[in-house]
Structures are given as C-alpha cells and as structure tokens.
Amino acid sequence: MSRMVDMKAVYESKGLTQEQIDDIEACFARADKAQLEFEKWSQEDIDRTIRSVAQKVANSKTFHELVELGIKESRFGDPISRENKRFKIRGILRDCLREKSVGCVKEMPERKIKIYAKPVGIIACVIPATNPDLTPAGNAIYAIKARNAIIFSPHPRTAGTSYKTCELMREGLARVGAPKDLVQCLGGGLGEDGKTIVKINRQMSEALMSKCDLVIATGGQGVVRRSYTSGTPAYGVGAGNATMIWDETAIKDLHHAADNTMRSKTSDFGSGCSADGNVVIHESIWDEALKELQSVGGYLMTEEEQKAMRNAMWDEDIHRLSDTVALSALDMAKAAGFSVPETTRFLIASHGTGVFTKGEEGIWCREKLSTVLAVHKYCGEFQNAIDAIMAIHEVGGKGHSVGIFTFDESHIDRLASVARVGRIMVRQPQSKANSGS
C-alpha cells in the first residue's frame, strides 16, 4: 500500500523543496479528513453531490470561460469544438448516475456471493495541457461517485484553467454540504501572474503519485510509465490517437465515413487522444476514399509538403514538437512553410504511408495531436487491416480506442476479438463517441 511508503526517502530522491513537500502533505491531510467524512454519505446524497459538481463546470457560460482561459494559457486548441466537450462531462454524469457505489452493488444468490463497493481513498491525477478543464471535471465526478478524494497535479502551462475548474467543483461540493477538500490542486494557489505559488514539476507529481492510494494518469507515455513505477496502483492512457479501418463495404456510404473522420480529426484541432490519427483503407476504395476526404475539407499534401510537415512536427530524434500541437490546418501548413486553401479543415499524409516501423520511414504511424491525418492502404483480406492496426499500435501507441466503418458484421467481430483497446466504435466519429466510462 502507498500509505506504507517511506515518503521522506521519496522526497529526498526527487529533490523536492520543503515548500513542495509541505504542499503535498497539507493537501493529503485535508483530503484524508474529507474522504473519511464523505465515505459515510448515502447513495442519494452522493448522487446529489456529483450533479452539483457537474452543473457548476458543464453549464454553457462557465465552460465557455474555462475554454477561453485554457486556450489563452496553452496557446493552442479550437475554441468552438472544445466547448462541445462539456457534453462529455454530462455523459460521464449520466453514466455515473446509472451505477451504485454504496453498500452491496451486486448479488449472485446461486453462488452465495455479494459484492460491496468501497472507496480506495485518495486519488492522484495528472492533468495534460491539452485538457485542463475536461480531465479534472470528469475524473473528479468518478472519484466522488466512488466516495474518494482526488488531488490534481496541473500542467504548469495551464494551471490557471485547472485551478479555476477545481474551484468551481469545490463550490459545487460546498453548496450541498459536502467537504470541499474532496477536490484539490497542488501548487498552493495562484499568484498574481497566474502561476502556482508553489512550483509544480515532474518530480512533485511523481511524489504525489507515491503518496496517494491510486493514480490516474492521462498524457504521454512518459507520464503513464512513471505512474506505473510509482509503487501505487495506477490507471493510465498513454500515446496513441484512434485508428480507423474502412473496408471494402464502406463504399456503400463513403461520404459518411469521410465526414465522421473530418469531425473527429478537427475537434479541438486534433489535440485529443480520441481523434482519428490513422485510417487504414482497402485498396478497392482507395481512390474514392481520398476524393471523399478532400470533399469534406481534407488537403492532400504533396510529397514535398509532407516532408516539410514532418520537420515541423518532429525533431531529428522523432520527438513530437510542442509548438505544432493542436493548430488549425492553415496554421499547420504555415508552420511547415506552405499554404493551403482557406477552406482546408485538415491535412492528409498519403506518401510513404503503409510502413509500420519505429524508424523514420514509419513516422506517420505516430501520435500526431494535430489536424494531420495519415492514410494507409491495405490489400486483400481483412486480416491485413487488423495486422496494420496492430503494427501501428506498436509504433504510435495503443491509446484507448479503434474504429471501423463497415457493413460486414464478421469484420466487426474479428476486430473486436483482437484489438487491445477498451473501445471499438462502429461507423461513428471517434472523438465524439469514444469518451465516458
């Protein structure tokens, strides 16, 4: 158990300042007291609490303000589509309200077994800069539903947005009489410059992970790997944009398939892990598919433009460059040194794709976090499409979802049987459909 960890040794190994140590210890003590009080609440009162928390954050006026602040701080993202993320908070609330989290939640009389729900205690949650409002709101609702407290480690770049989100949730807790310290942020508050008073860095986040009872880590592979090595049980979602398969039957409604991908790829300028990153397309519909993608706002990059885009997105060691994350298609092209029509919604990489290796030649398999989409051709039997997805996952990360546009039920079953992800969406736009519980 993490409560048995020698935190003095952890703090020393991380090189934390006394100010950082005091902040972690104070947050934890307040969270512990709040959680022990709240775990005695009834199911009815808990559900009333999460409704209050969700309403404070997900109402249109408040979430609009959070989106504006988040984009101002991070300097990336699409204000219009990001505002729609508030509906994901409402979806999470809906899912939570359908479940029991107090007392006996399941009975199996034939086996004389009863299952009881119990809180884990205090959760540490790392917030990515790409989702400074939705990530804390969604995870707080889940945590409170299960009678836990949660402490967030905000990304330094968007700490103001995450703090504002947490303050709103604390107001939601207070108005129903719940302990406000069920939800907290590291950092000791915000200074006049909008930065946290106590400096938050990677080492401080890692120490929080070791201190708490459970870790939820959303971000790159580095963050997730650190959560898994913290000595604390952890849930993590690392790198990997969603990959789609369009098989030969997609020809029946190819415009719909293209429109789904456009909606997913352009949502918040492709910054979410839910967005389509790769589409694996059957050879028989390849030409028609590219035409449809262009008809919904896609721009097919030339080979030279694609080379320029590669240099704008990755350094020589194939590390993703942060200054081209979550930019519009027009700004992405500008960053790469070429121009595209004003109507362009996303950019298509089709040269040199279909190579699934970890070296330079397989670079378009990687997580993109942008309005750039890679298309890959597969030939012959459906198994080749499955093999392509598996290979892409080895290069760019699994993420949490894959999708398929098909009218062949056997293809759905075959993909669902082997894809190592939590969700498989059928004929749906990924970033609009694959969130929630």
Side-chain angles (χ1 to χ4, degrees):
M1 290 292 292
S2 58
R3 304 265 180 146
M4 298 173 66
V5 169
D6 180 0
M7 288 306 299
K8 182 179 179 181
V10 172
Y11 293 146
E12 288 179 354
S13 70
K14 302 297 180 187
L16 267 58
T17 66
Q18 190 58 50
E19 191 178 36
Q20 290 175 318
I21 295 170
D22 291 345
D23 188 40
I24 292 174
E25 291 293 328
C27 281
F28 190 88
R30 291 192 296 265
D32 204 24
K33 181 180 178 181
Q35 191 276 321
L36 289 172
E37 176 187 340
F38 189 67
E39 71 176 9
K40 302 180 182 69
W41 281 39
S42 68
Q43 186 71 75
E44 181 182 0
D45 288 339
I46 290 167
D47 288 347
R48 181 165 52 91
T49 301
I50 60 173
R51 284 192 184 97
S52 179
V53 168
Q55 192 280 328
K56 287 294 291 186
V57 177
N59 69 81
S60 58
K61 179 179 181 297
T62 299
F63 203 73
H64 172 76
E65 293 170 355
L66 292 173
V67 166
E68 283 192 331
L69 179 57
I71 291 176
K72 180 181 178 181
E73 286 189 308
S74 66
R75 300 185 300 280
F76 58 65
D78 174 31
I80 297 174
S81 57
R82 184 176 288 191
E83 285 197 31
N84 291 331
K85 289 184 176 181
R86 72 186 184 91
F87 294 108
K88 293 189 177 184
I89 299 173
R90 293 169 62 177
I92 289 168
L93 175 65
R94 177 202 62 202
D95 291 346
C96 282
L97 291 173
R98 290 173 174 173
E99 302 294 333
K100 286 185 66 178
S101 62
V102 177
C104 181
V105 295
K106 185 177 181 180
E107 290 191 57
M108 293 178 277
E110 70 283 0
R111 300 175 64 186
K112 297 182 180 180
I113 291 176
K114 291 184 178 181
I115 297 175
Y116 289 80
K118 293 179 283 290
V120 70
I122 302 174
I123 298 171
C125 182
V126 182
I127 306 174
T130 52
N131 242 356
D133 36 36
L134 176 62
T135 294
N139 283 313
I141 292 168
Y142 284 134
I144 296 165
K145 172 70 179 190
R147 294 177 288 161
N148 297 303
I150 189 164
I151 302 173
F152 293 103
S153 179
H155 193 287
R157 189 169 174 177
T158 50
T161 306
S162 296
Y163 253 90
K164 177 64 175 176
T165 304
C166 287
E167 281 304 313
L168 288 164
M169 293 191 288
R170 286 166 64 86
E171 291 173 12
L173 290 165
R175 71 179 177 181
V176 294
K180 292 199 299 182
D181 290 330
L182 288 171
V183 174
Q184 296 179 78
C185 252
L186 288 183
L190 297 176
E192 293 182 0
D193 60 355
K195 305 297 184 183
T196 55
I197 294 171
V198 178
K199 182 182 178 181
I200 298 174
N201 55 17
R202 187 188 75 189
Q203 292 77 15
M204 192 176 182
S205 294
E206 290 173 355
L208 178 69
M209 293 179 193
S210 295
K211 178 77 175 175
C212 291
D213 301 303
L214 180 71
V215 176
I216 298 175
T218 304
Q221 287 185 348
V223 172
V224 173
R225 284 171 180 162
R226 288 193 291 274
S227 74
Y228 289 155
T229 58
S230 65
T232 303
Y235 298 117
V237 176
N241 293 139
T243 297
M244 289 288 298
I245 294 176
W246 296 3
D247 70 4
E248 61 273 23
T249 70
I251 194 68
K252 295 180 182 178
D253 200 359
L254 206 51
H255 184 77
H256 185 194
D259 187 65
N260 280 354
T261 288
M262 179 276 292
R263 291 171 62 196
S264 179
K265 181 77 266 185
T266 58
S267 179
D268 204 11
F269 293 154
S271 62
C273 52
S274 301
D276 294 12
N278 299 277
V279 183
V280 179
I281 304 171
H282 192 263
E283 59 180 335
S284 66
I285 63 170
W286 176 259
D287 292 337
E288 290 85 352
L290 293 184
K291 289 177 185 176
E292 287 294 348
L293 285 168
Q294 290 174 84
S295 78
V296 295
Y299 175 83
L300 197 63
M301 291 184 284
T302 67
E303 191 167 359
E304 288 304 311
E305 289 169 342
Q306 197 170 306
K307 288 178 181 177
M309 183 59 66
R310 177 260 177 265
N311 293 330
M313 292 176 67
W314 291 278
D315 66 16
E316 291 182 359
D317 296 320
I318 319 183
H319 296 134
R320 187 67 173 87
L321 299 172
S322 61
D323 55 357
T324 52
V325 167
L327 297 181
S328 69
L330 299 181
D331 286 339
M332 285 294 290
K334 183 178 179 181
F338 61 92
S339 61
V340 295
E342 291 290 324
T343 54
T344 302
R345 303 288 304 278
F346 61 101
L347 306 166
I348 305 169
S350 63
H351 299 279
T353 56
V355 179
F356 313 119
T357 62
K358 293 185 179 182
E360 178 69 34
E361 55 284 348
I363 199 165
W364 296 104
C365 302
R366 293 178 177 268
E367 185 178 58
K368 300 168 191 67
L369 299 174
S370 71
T371 43
V372 174
L373 175 76
V375 290
H376 311 270
K377 184 190 294 185
Y378 81 94
C379 303
E381 217 276 318
F382 184 69
Q383 184 59 44
N384 295 326
I386 294 176
D387 292 344
I389 277 193
M390 296 301 195
I392 288 170
H393 285 173
E394 288 301 311
V395 177
K398 297 179 180 66
H400 55 62
S401 302
V402 299
I404 183 168
F405 202 98
T406 183
F407 294 92
D408 187 329
E409 289 293 325
S410 71
H411 287 181
I412 298 170
D413 291 339
R414 287 171 65 185
L415 179 62
S417 297
V418 297
R420 299 186 184 98
V421 294
R423 303 181 184 92
I424 297 177
M425 312 311 298
V426 180
R427 299 193 300 275
Q428 298 181 66
Q430 287 280 349
S431 68
K432 307 297 183 184
N434 69 16
S435 299
S437 64

